[in-house]
Amino acid sequence: MVRVYNCHPFASQLIVPVQHEPDTFCCGRDTLFVVSAGCKIEAFDITESGCQPLCTFVTLGKVQKITFSGIGDYLATIEEKSKVLSLRVYLNWRGCQAQGKSRVGIRMVGHVLQAPFKGAPKDQMEIVEMPLSEPPLSISCCPVKGDLVVGCHNKVVFFRLKEERLDGESPVLDFERFLIVHVSLNLLEVAFCSGCLALIAELEVLVVKLERIQQAESKSQQQTFQKEVPGSKGIEKDGNDSAEAASLSQEQDEFILFQSPLELLGEDTWGSGVLVSLEWTGVEGLTGELQNNLHLRQILYRRFAPDLSHIYSVEETALHSLQLLPMYSAGDLESGAGSGRKDKQLLSLFCFFSLPHVGFLYAVGNMVQQLSTYNYPEKAKQAVISPQFLHVITRNNLLCYTVRCSAVAARDKDPEMDTNNKACPLFFMPVSALRMQLFIGLRAVCHSRNHLILLAKTEGQVAHRQNESKKGSPQMFKTKAKMPSITSEPGWNLYCLQMISTVHLCREMVEYSKRYKACSPQSYVHLLSEAHLMLKAALLDRDLCNQTDSEELEPAFKENCAQLGDCYSQFEMDDFHLALPYYKMSGLSLSDLISRRFLWENEPQKFGKGFMYYLKHSIYEETEEPLDEETANQVLHVFKLAEPTQIPHALCSPCMRNVCLRTAWDHLERLSAISPSPLVTLTKATVALRLKDPQKYQTAMERYTETKLVCGFVVEPNLLRHHGFVPTELACELKGTQPGLLVAVFAALLESNKIELEEAELFFKALCAEGADEESEEEIPQLLVDFWEAMLIACTQEVMVQVLLMKLVSVYIRRTARKQQLTGRPLKTVEDLRNSCGQFGEIFSWIQTINASSSHPEDISEDLQKLQSILCGSSIDVKSVLPLLHQLPEDEGPGLSIHVLCSVRLGECERVTDQLLDRCPEAVLPFAKREMQQERQPLWWKKLLPELCQRTKGAGGENRVLVSSLKETLAMVATTLQPLDFLSILPDDGVASFFLPHLLECGRKNSIT
């Protein structure tokens, strides 16, 4: 679909002062070359005031096609002489011919100023002969590197532009043929840009890329490539293909066969059936380096069926106007002509080609995709594309269409595009026809930066040629005889149309769009979007504008963004959310937009969904500076009219700190009466705190239970913190009065994914750091430990559980080692945690014995008991605790209990037995009764009994604890072993009266069993 408007993209129309009828012409950046009389080339400098003659020189043959390269500043021509087509390049034409000199040197390609031409004048124009094995049909120059590509019947020849330096003299340009691409197409046109080659046949289009790859990849792909295509010498057909072709030729006398239309993109393009092969030539090509590093990849293929609905000749359905259009980012494009060889950084690449009644634009850079289809009202003779426009000439009209190149380039340049920060119209938006301008007898068109060159010839000559081609019509011959004056007088003009400045055209489009604002908002937005893309193209490539226009681009672009933001905020549109990025790109603050766009009337419909989306995002995302009181009150007024339920959320935003508190309280009172909720009540409590009214604060906080208040905080986390972790007045108040509620709220926020664990930790540290000394600031605050304990109770994710356990263990160990007194009372005791959290286990009786035997009972703190409870549980990975144990010495009760607990969890019972016998023998028997069970039961008689016997003997029987433990150990072993086994483990030097009762008891129980 094409939208048709009536804008004026041209500022002036001038006549190019050419002496003779032009045969063909081409354009450079600001230069026009006109070929007349077959062999005469006139060069003009294109300025705002018109085309000023630069120079004139004569070619060696009749020019059939001509093209200009800004890189290297050379002309390439296909010339005919004696019915032979030749390729020639003209170097250094500018300086010498401008001075009226006629020195000309002719050389073959590859022969740079060798004797006897060495030392030739620097102002001498050079003609480089470039021999080819087949007649050239089309030529193209790479706008990025200046390389020359020549299309023949079914092959493409590549010439690399290079510089040669001889004996320290100034560099001389030359070419080297390094590659020939053979294709199974009858080529009509070729185009080349930065490794991308586009080809068209009569009804087929093929785009391939020459890409550098790793050597290993190159070999594997070449093997695959060789299986699919023939050798580099050319394309061969087997006998079966020849037989089929012979049989089909007989049928073609009566029928014309066409293949079905086909479009292939990307990797699917290899299924096109077009055979492609590479033939390497030249020094670089034959050395093998390029062969190993370059790979040919097909990216686009399209085949058309001829359109016979408008015309009657199959030949008139052929493709034409093939072009590759590069786009660069600002600052990449070089200015001025010359032989500068600095490579330009390519941003995006596009391919255009056309049928007689429809044109196609594809992106072939980072992505391969069709962007636009252009349906012409008449048969097109030629089309040229630029980053901003597509110009098409028909028999008597010049058509100007918009293009979508800048929409793709903007996304290629900025990955932040299509986010809340930046937006750009979509590239598949319908194109527009801005202008259809009448010109009689248009024949050719060429684009040069800010100018369009048109060649027009009178209809008399055209009719004359048509009459000559028709036979068997006496009336036609009679007409020809009656009109000698019309056909004998030449009638032609070469026009130079200056493009209007981008800013001026966009302003005209904005004015033009206002007529659609009321009746067709979609058309209004469409025209503003077209203006946005034109401005974007000019911003991406400043070379499209002159100095004055460039200074106005940025303000015009921001104004356009503001206008688009107004559209999406005012109209009921599906993509109303685009108001946010467009308003952000406009550079206007919220205060500016409110004063610019809206009148403060009590009409809710004044504020569309787009504006409310922008307003809420701007208020809630906390990036805006605090609003002044007037603007903040206006924002509150907008919410009152449009969305009253958003008032609490707005008042919680830090940018609304300057709002009138009395006005805010009145709004909340009305909202509380209409729609009461915990959120409204909590917001009232916040306002009451800022009003320093404790009575209203207390009344608000007592209205709901703590559970419902937690739900209110979850709905709006900004009640407690701003900018992620900065506490609010309400948070500071809750810290002193209701710390349990504060901890419960953040546990709920973390569970509902409203905040991250790191944010909560930063918040509690910042909250507890207010008013604390420097030493206290370095310690972990008790409120944060309470939060970790609360999270451990509520958390179900194993990974998070381990993280929280390690944080708590680290704090408990540090506090226990430093014998640090708690600054505040913990919210949960060890009993509370053990009853509500499975990660805290029952403290073992033998650990209690160690605690009881401590010489300093005050060392048994709440933190130590929580640490012991965690280690008595089964959740924590003990190995992760070991690096922290160096803080606790083993020779004290607290340290001993933690060390032996970790050793037990690691299965080191024998080591623990020794430690307890050395430092706390009272705990040995309780330890053995719990830990020496099942597979560990043999430790009773293999480890514990021998150790007790040995230590009791060494103590001389005076250690009552050891003797008592030995007796209980003998009693336990006697109930387990057989009498003979029991007897074998008794010490040989033991007192019989001591061991005999246990032996008798063992025998008695065994006999009973």
Side-chain angles (χ1 to χ4, degrees):
M1 176 183 178
V2 177
R3 295 176 181 262
V4 181
Y5 301 107
N6 187 24
C7 298
H8 301 82
F10 305 109
S12 63
Q13 175 180 317
L14 301 173
I15 301 296
V16 180
V18 183
Q19 299 298 324
H20 303 281
E21 178 181 351
D23 295 325
T24 184
F25 58 91
C26 72
C27 293
R29 181 176 179 271
D30 285 314
T31 311
L32 170 64
F33 299 92
V34 182
V35 179
S36 59
C39 301
K40 181 181 179 182
I41 296 181
E42 297 177 73
F44 297 88
D45 187 17
I46 305 177
T47 64
E48 294 185 4
S49 58
C51 294
Q52 307 300 325
L54 276 178
C55 61
T56 303
F57 56 93
V58 179
T59 62
L60 299 181
K62 183 177 181 181
V63 177
Q64 302 294 322
K65 293 188 177 181
I66 183 172
T67 187
F68 173 76
S69 172
I71 306 297
D73 195 30
Y74 69 84
L75 276 171
T77 62
I78 296 178
E79 303 175 12
E80 180 185 5
K81 190 173 184 180
S82 302
K83 298 183 179 181
V84 175
L85 294 177
S86 302
L87 175 65
R88 295 186 176 93
V89 171
Y90 293 80
L91 300 171
N92 198 27
W93 56 270
R94 187 182 297 269
C96 63
Q97 294 297 335
Q99 298 170 9
K101 300 180 180 181
S102 57
R103 291 180 179 273
V104 177
I106 304 176
R107 62 180 173 88
M108 295 291 291
V109 63
H111 297 266
V112 181
L113 293 180
Q114 302 295 333
F117 303 103
K118 186 175 180 180
K122 296 180 180 179
D123 58 358
Q124 172 178 287
M125 183 176 75
E126 287 189 281
I127 302 176
V128 182
E129 294 278 359
M130 310 183 77
L132 298 169
S133 60
E134 295 183 14
L137 300 178
S138 60
I139 49 177
S140 174
C141 298
C142 175
V144 178
K145 296 184 177 181
D147 297 338
L148 178 62
V149 172
V150 185
C152 301
H153 177 63
N154 57 8
K155 68 180 181 182
V156 181
V157 185
F158 287 77
F159 291 91
R160 183 191 307 276
L161 179 64
K162 61 180 183 178
E163 290 182 348
E164 295 284 350
R165 290 182 179 270
L166 298 176
D167 299 334
E169 296 183 2
S170 59
V172 178
L173 294 181
D174 196 22
F175 294 87
E176 179 187 10
R177 184 176 63 177
F178 73 97
L179 176 64
I180 300 176
V181 177
H182 298 268
V183 293
S184 58
L185 296 174
N186 296 327
L187 301 180
L188 297 179
E189 296 180 27
V190 298
F192 182 69
C193 178
S194 188
C196 187
L197 175 65
L199 316 166
I200 61 171
E202 188 172 288
L203 292 172
E204 293 177 279
V205 182
L206 178 66
V207 181
V208 298
K209 269 191 176 181
L210 279 170
E211 297 178 329
R212 291 191 176 274
I213 58 173
Q214 298 297 329
Q215 187 170 359
E217 295 177 351
S218 175
K219 291 181 179 178
S220 62
Q221 291 181 352
Q222 282 177 354
Q223 291 173 359
T224 306
F225 183 78
Q226 289 171 359
K227 294 178 182 178
E228 297 181 357
V229 301
S232 61
K233 297 279 185 171
I235 299 175
E236 302 176 357
K237 297 183 179 180
D238 55 22
N240 293 334
D241 292 341
S242 301
E244 292 179 5
S247 61
L248 288 175
S249 62
Q250 299 176 357
E251 301 178 3
Q252 290 178 355
D253 295 337
E254 299 179 1
F255 300 99
I256 300 178
L257 303 179
F258 299 109
Q259 291 182 301
S260 59
L262 179 65
E263 182 186 43
L264 299 173
L265 305 176
E267 297 299 328
D268 297 334
T269 312
W270 286 107
S272 63
V274 178
L275 302 180
V276 183
S277 64
L278 307 182
E279 178 184 350
W280 299 97
T281 63
V283 177
E284 292 187 52
L286 294 178
T287 55
E289 180 181 352
L290 289 178
Q291 298 184 40
N292 294 330
N293 293 331
L294 285 180
H295 167 64
L296 191 67
R297 181 169 65 94
Q298 298 186 20
I299 60 173
L300 169 64
Y301 173 77
R302 185 151 187 184
R303 182 173 64 222
F304 298 92
D307 182 10
L308 303 179
S309 58
H310 301 280
I311 46 185
Y312 303 96
S313 172
V314 176
E315 288 75 12
E316 296 183 6
T317 67
L319 290 160
H320 61 81
S321 302
L322 174 67
Q323 293 170 78
L324 284 176
L325 174 68
M327 282 198 70
Y328 315 93
S329 58
D332 287 338
L333 191 63
E334 296 178 82
S335 61
S339 58
R341 295 300 314 281
K342 180 180 176 183
D343 291 345
K344 294 174 270 189
Q345 295 298 320
L346 188 66
L347 181 63
S348 303
L349 187 61
F350 307 91
C351 180
F352 176 82
F353 49 87
S354 181
L355 287 168
H357 288 86
V358 60
F360 302 90
L361 179 62
Y362 281 81
V364 292
N366 297 328
M367 68 173 183
V368 181
Q369 185 173 348
Q370 182 174 347
L371 302 181
S372 307
T373 301
Y374 299 89
N375 293 293
Y376 313 137
E378 310 175 334
K379 177 187 173 184
K381 293 188 174 183
Q382 190 182 351
V384 291
I385 194 168
S386 68
Q388 292 179 310
F389 303 103
L390 171 68
H391 299 285
V392 182
I393 58 170
T394 64
R395 182 179 179 184
N396 292 319
N397 283 294
L398 170 63
L399 310 176
C400 180
Y401 295 91
T402 58
V403 296
R404 299 289 169 259
C405 300
S406 58
V408 177
R411 290 169 171 84
D412 289 340
K413 180 180 177 63
D414 193 349
E416 201 178 2
M417 199 62 67
D418 298 323
T419 64
N420 283 337
N421 295 324
K422 294 183 180 180
C424 185
L426 299 174
F427 54 79
F428 50 79
M429 184 177 68
V431 295
S432 303
L434 295 183
R435 185 76 176 172
M436 179 182 290
Q437 193 156 332
L438 179 65
F439 280 92
I440 303 299
L442 288 177
R443 304 297 299 275
V445 62
C446 186
H447 181 266
S448 172
R449 200 162 71 101
N450 295 323
H451 295 81
L452 200 68
I453 310 300
L454 294 175
L455 174 61
K457 295 188 179 182
T458 57
E459 287 295 316
Q461 292 182 345
V462 177
H464 173 65
R465 293 190 182 96
Q466 292 177 349
N467 293 339
E468 288 181 338
S469 63
K470 295 182 179 180
K471 299 179 180 181
S473 176
Q475 185 177 359
M476 292 297 178
F477 288 110
K478 187 181 297 185
T479 304
K480 175 182 174 182
K482 290 181 180 179
M483 301 174 60
S485 60
I486 296 179
T487 58
S488 60
E489 295 181 3
W492 54 267
N493 272 314
L494 190 63
Y495 300 100
C496 177
L497 276 62
Q498 182 181 359
M499 307 294 294
I500 198 170
S501 73
T502 303
V503 174
H504 187 88
L505 177 60
C506 289
R507 287 172 181 165
E508 180 188 347
M509 293 174 70
V510 170
E511 290 299 320
Y512 186 85
S513 67
K514 290 180 179 178
R515 66 182 68 181
Y516 297 103
K517 187 173 183 179
C519 61
S520 178
Q522 292 292 343
S523 297
Y524 176 62
V525 175
H526 186 268
L527 262 175
L528 289 180
S529 300
E530 294 284 14
H532 183 93
L533 290 178
M534 290 184 189
L535 291 168
K536 191 68 178 178
L539 286 171
L540 288 171
D541 189 352
R542 297 297 180 99
D543 191 61
L544 298 174
C545 308
N546 55 35
Q547 182 75 17
T548 305
D549 199 19
S550 297
E551 295 174 355
E552 299 177 352
L553 272 179
E554 197 71 34
F557 181 76
K558 290 183 176 180
E559 177 64 22
N560 176 265
C561 290
Q563 292 167 342
L564 282 171
D566 291 343
C567 293
Y568 288 107
S569 65
Q570 180 181 6
F571 301 130
E572 292 297 324
M573 307 179 72
D574 294 337
D575 43 3
F576 62 88
H577 62 277
L578 292 177
L580 173 61
Y582 280 120
Y583 273 149
K584 282 190 174 184
M585 293 161 60
S586 71
L588 299 174
S589 65
L590 179 59
S591 177
D592 296 334
L593 288 172
I594 290 176
S595 59
R596 154 197 167 93
R597 181 69 181 83
F598 295 97
L599 297 175
W600 299 107
E601 301 176 7
N602 296 332
E603 300 180 18
Q605 62 270 23
K606 286 281 184 180
F607 314 104
K609 290 194 297 183
F611 179 76
M612 295 308 299
Y613 180 84
Y614 162 75
L615 182 62
K616 286 187 283 187
H617 199 281
S618 299
I619 295 296
Y620 302 156
E621 74 174 355
E622 304 180 358
T623 58
E624 291 274 350
E625 292 294 325
L627 303 175
D628 57 70
E629 182 177 353
E630 180 183 359
T631 305
N633 291 337
Q634 288 178 335
V635 170
L636 208 59
H637 185 68
V638 171
F639 280 117
K640 172 195 170 185
L641 296 177
E643 294 186 45
T645 56
Q646 293 295 319
I647 290 177
H649 298 283
L651 290 173
C652 293
S653 173
C655 67
M656 294 286 286
R657 286 197 59 82
N658 296 327
V659 72
C660 176
L661 295 177
R662 294 294 176 186
T663 304
W665 180 265
D666 294 339
H667 284 307
L668 290 171
E669 282 281 86
R670 284 191 292 269
L671 183 61
S672 180
I674 299 172
S675 177
S677 69
L679 175 59
V680 177
T681 298
L682 289 170
T683 310
K684 289 176 64 178
T686 300
V687 175
L689 274 179
R690 296 182 60 190
L691 288 170
K692 302 188 184 304
D693 191 333
Q695 178 90 30
K696 291 181 178 179
Y697 170 78
Q698 195 65 28
T699 303
M701 293 302 293
E702 291 176 354
R703 181 168 183 178
Y704 291 99
T705 63
E706 281 198 1
T707 303
K708 290 188 176 180
L709 291 179
V710 169
C711 296
F713 281 115
V714 171
V715 173
E716 183 48 77
N718 282 340
L719 283 164
L720 295 176
R721 68 357 170 219
H722 290 158
H723 306 293
F725 60 89
V726 179
T728 63
E729 294 93 336
L730 182 58
C732 295
E733 179 68 21
L734 291 178
K735 172 194 170 185
T737 58
Q738 294 176 276
L741 174 60
L742 193 61
V743 168
V745 168
F746 272 85
L749 288 173
L750 189 60
E751 281 294 302
S752 58
N753 297 321
K754 291 294 184 71
I755 61 171
E756 297 294 332
L757 180 61
E758 293 77 9
E759 290 181 284
E761 292 171 349
L762 289 173
F763 168 80
F764 281 111
K765 289 178 180 179
L767 178 64
C768 298
E770 295 182 2
D773 53 24
E774 294 183 3
E775 293 184 1
S776 300
E777 288 182 4
E778 296 178 359
E779 299 296 333
I780 301 297
Q782 179 57 42
L783 203 56
L784 177 54
V785 178
D786 293 331
F787 168 69
W788 287 337
E789 292 173 349
M791 277 305 305
L792 199 57
I793 295 173
C795 187
T796 58
Q797 301 177 8
E798 183 60 28
V799 176
M800 181 64 73
V801 166
Q802 291 299 322
V803 171
L804 293 169
L805 283 173
M806 283 307 303
K807 289 178 180 292
L808 289 171
V809 166
S810 177
V811 173
Y812 295 152
I813 289 178
R814 186 184 305 112
R815 287 180 177 180
T816 302
R818 297 179 182 180
K819 299 180 181 180
Q820 180 182 337
Q821 297 297 324
L822 300 181
T823 55
R825 182 182 177 185
L827 295 178
K828 298 285 185 181
T829 65
V830 66
E831 292 296 327
D832 297 333
L833 293 172
R834 190 167 60 248
N835 293 331
S836 57
C837 182
Q839 282 76 29
F840 288 82
E842 183 77 29
I843 299 178
F844 302 147
S845 58
W846 59 276
I847 294 295
Q848 299 283 15
T849 303
I850 296 176
N851 293 341
S853 65
S854 175
S855 57
H856 301 284
E858 65 274 5
D859 293 344
I860 310 304
S861 63
E862 187 78 14
D863 289 326
L864 176 60
Q865 294 185 57
K866 290 178 180 179
L867 177 59
Q868 292 171 344
S869 180
I870 288 178
L871 293 175
C872 288
S874 58
S875 297
I876 193 168
D877 182 9
V878 178
K879 292 181 180 180
S880 60
V881 182
L882 297 181
L884 305 174
L885 294 185
H886 68 278
Q887 304 176 54
L888 294 171
E890 295 187 41
D891 54 355
E892 297 181 0
L896 176 62
S897 65
I898 302 304
H899 279 276
V900 295
L901 269 174
C902 291
S903 298
V904 169
R905 291 285 302 275
L906 295 174
E908 300 174 354
C909 287
E910 296 185 27
R911 180 170 177 268
V912 173
T913 302
D914 292 333
Q915 288 178 302
L916 293 179
L917 286 172
D918 291 337
R919 294 182 173 86
C920 186
E922 299 93 337
V924 168
L925 206 59
F927 164 74
K929 289 180 179 179
R930 176 174 179 82
E931 302 299 334
M932 295 182 185
Q933 302 293 330
Q934 298 177 357
E935 68 273 4
R936 294 179 181 174
Q937 193 177 41
L939 292 176
W940 281 92
W941 54 86
K942 290 184 179 181
K943 176 63 180 178
L944 183 57
L945 183 57
E947 285 290 339
L948 287 173
C949 290
Q950 185 67 27
R951 292 172 186 268
T952 304
K953 178 181 178 181
E958 296 179 0
N959 193 325
R960 294 183 179 182
V961 175
L962 290 177
V963 173
S964 175
S965 299
L966 178 57
K967 287 181 179 180
E968 292 195 35
T969 301
L970 286 170
M972 188 278 170
V973 173
T975 60
T976 304
L977 298 180
Q978 296 294 324
L980 291 177
D981 295 333
F982 183 70
L983 181 61
S984 66
I985 65 173
L986 296 179
D988 296 336
D989 54 351
V991 179
S993 60
F994 182 82
F995 293 100
L996 186 57
H998 298 286
L999 181 60
L1000 293 174
E1001 181 66 21
C1002 178
R1004 188 184 66 79
K1005 288 188 176 181
N1006 184 65
S1007 63
I1008 295 175
T1009 308

